[in-house]
Amino acid sequence: MAIILVRAASPGLSDAAAAVRDIGGISHHGSLQCSSLLKKKPARRWMLCSLRYGCLGLDPWEVGRASSPAVYSSLAVNPAGEAVVSSEQKVYDVVLKQSALLKRQLRKPVLDVRPQDLEMPRNGLKEAYDRCGEICEENYVDDRGAAPRHMGHLWVFAQYLTSSVSAVWCRRTDELVDGPNANYITPTALDRWEKRLEDLFAGRPYDMLDAALSDTISKFPIDIQPFRDMIEGMRSDLRKTRYNNFDELYMYCYYVAGTVGLMSVPVMGIAPESKATTESVYSAALALGIANQLTNILRDVGEDATRGRIYLPQDELAQAGLSDEDIFKGVVTNRWRNFMKRQIKRARMFFEEAERGVTELSQASRWPVWASLLLYRQILDEIEANDYNNFTKRAYVGKGKKLLALPVAYGKSLLLPCSLRNSQT
């Protein structure tokens, strides 16, 4: 995931640019050398921002103009002006690991979980899988289209995960910090939950629902890392209520939502005829999780503010002339509208990236994923329809629009993979 280096007036960032130049950073999206473009001109200052998301004072469509030549790197800049590895690069490293597992079809050795080992009744595992499906049906969406804060996308993901077992684990994890007992959850409790996860992956499930997931893990090349990262996202919610920039927010979105995409790909499968790389399919699944979580954040600004939480980049708020106080007041102004337009544009860019990967999935998995994408993206339309009032109005997609979206999603699911269509033209 490329980082672009552009001119800016931020003090101290010229040193970061020099660091990138000296390293000769190479993006995994290309082989462009930083040193070939950077010139020693003392009057110029540079800042690092994501190629995909834009940055302070620069819109995505301005990137790449002749007056602002792009330099790709996997670096970002910390508050001290030092060049550091970006969140995008850290997450992409996880993507590479997951895709390698899938390509090699590795399976971690998991003990054979038998019903009698857990003192289950006859056909206990089948009942466990059935119960996972029931939990998803009961909990993921209400009539307004509302869903758990972190897991809003899982009600659809649940449909294509094996009997929803991974989705149920995600739901149970989310409930630790966002459920009725959230006020009593401590970091120690999350440590115990992570130990339970490790036991589950080692074939030592604690209960019936754990046994269903342990059984699924034995059948698919599912890695523990995304599960651990999701728990880390829950830890973040216990200690963090502000995000200085989008690099921080991106990592949070990966922890609590992007991880679900990485968990899901091994079970969903890639179409046999697809010519796309495994990494690109994983990246698209990650993008859908990020897009859904950004949509959750934009939908729930007012609700989060009542809890003292602001899941918006602080530096971008400041650039727009806004502050935490403006969020707590909850008044829609032109500044707020302009700020929201840019945030919505960014979320849609992630949805667009996700679209390119959905068609590469196995055909049986495409319909629910397309439905997730189309329905969740419509929440952004509803925010706009509410004149960007996400302080006192909750944007949701009505039943009628949901029903209309389903046949559209089904039609898209029948299309050939994009990679195959492109190869035929």
Side-chain angles (χ1 to χ4, degrees), residues 135-372:
I135 290 173
C136 288
E137 291 177 6
E138 293 167 0
N139 291 292
Y140 281 107
V141 177
D142 63 21
D143 289 339
R144 298 183 307 158
R149 186 177 310 278
H150 307 113
M151 301 298 122
H153 50 293
L154 284 179
W155 69 276
V156 175
F157 273 132
Q159 303 305 310
Y160 59 72
L161 288 171
T162 299
S163 297
S164 313
V165 290
S166 295
V168 168
W169 183 89
C170 293
R171 170 66 172 176
R172 296 168 84 186
T173 303
D174 179 61
E175 283 291 308
L176 294 175
V177 297
D178 208 31
N181 297 317
N183 291 335
Y184 306 101
I185 295 299
T186 65
T188 301
L190 291 176
D191 291 342
R192 288 197 296 266
W193 186 249
E194 184 167 7
K195 176 60 171 63
R196 176 168 171 167
L197 172 69
E198 292 169 355
D199 288 342
L200 187 157
F201 266 79
R204 298 188 295 272
Y206 281 51
D207 59 20
M208 176 186 291
L209 300 180
D210 283 355
L213 179 53
S214 191
D215 182 67
T216 299
I217 291 166
S218 71
K219 294 180 172 64
F220 298 93
I222 299 174
D223 185 49
I224 194 173
Q225 188 63 50
F227 293 81
R228 282 178 170 153
D229 287 344
M230 177 171 283
I231 295 174
E232 187 60 33
M234 303 304 120
R235 290 193 181 99
S236 177
D237 264 331
L238 294 182
R239 63 175 182 261
K240 194 175 179 71
T241 60
R242 300 292 188 278
Y243 293 84
N244 292 323
N245 49 51
F246 188 73
D247 190 67
E248 290 186 8
L249 186 62
Y250 176 88
M251 183 60 80
Y252 173 75
C253 290
Y254 160 69
Y255 280 149
V256 302
T259 49
V260 181
L262 303 190
M263 297 174 194
S264 306
V265 172
V267 180
M268 291 185 294
I270 299 175
E273 66 273 21
S274 172
K275 296 185 179 299
T277 65
T278 308
E279 290 87 347
S280 68
V281 177
Y282 267 98
S283 293
L286 168 67
L288 181 55
I290 299 289
N292 286 339
Q293 185 58 27
L294 289 174
T295 301
N296 277 345
I297 288 170
L298 298 180
R299 179 195 64 191
D300 296 340
V301 168
E303 183 179 342
D304 288 331
T306 63
R307 305 170 66 190
R309 296 181 176 274
I310 298 178
Y311 294 97
L312 298 168
Q314 291 287 307
D315 58 354
E316 295 178 24
L317 282 170
Q319 181 198 14
L322 298 166
S323 66
D324 290 358
E325 191 61 32
D326 294 306
I327 305 297
F328 294 133
K329 286 180 181 177
V331 177
V332 178
T333 63
N334 285 334
R335 286 182 177 180
W336 178 252
R337 292 185 184 94
N338 291 333
F339 172 79
M340 282 299 303
K341 288 176 183 178
R342 295 188 64 156
Q343 303 304 308
I344 289 173
K345 180 180 179 67
R346 172 187 284 151
R348 283 178 173 148
M349 291 170 74
F350 277 101
F351 279 121
E352 289 169 7
E353 181 180 355
E355 278 193 34
R356 292 192 288 271
V358 176
T359 60
E360 310 299 335
L361 298 174
S362 63
Q363 189 167 14
S365 302
R366 293 177 204 162
W367 187 15
V369 184
W370 271 116
S372 169

Side-chain angles (χ1 to χ4, degrees), residues 118-129:
L118 297 173
E119 298 183 355
M120 288 185 183
R122 190 174 182 179
N123 297 324
L125 263 181
K126 180 181 181 304
E127 292 181 11
Y129 278 109

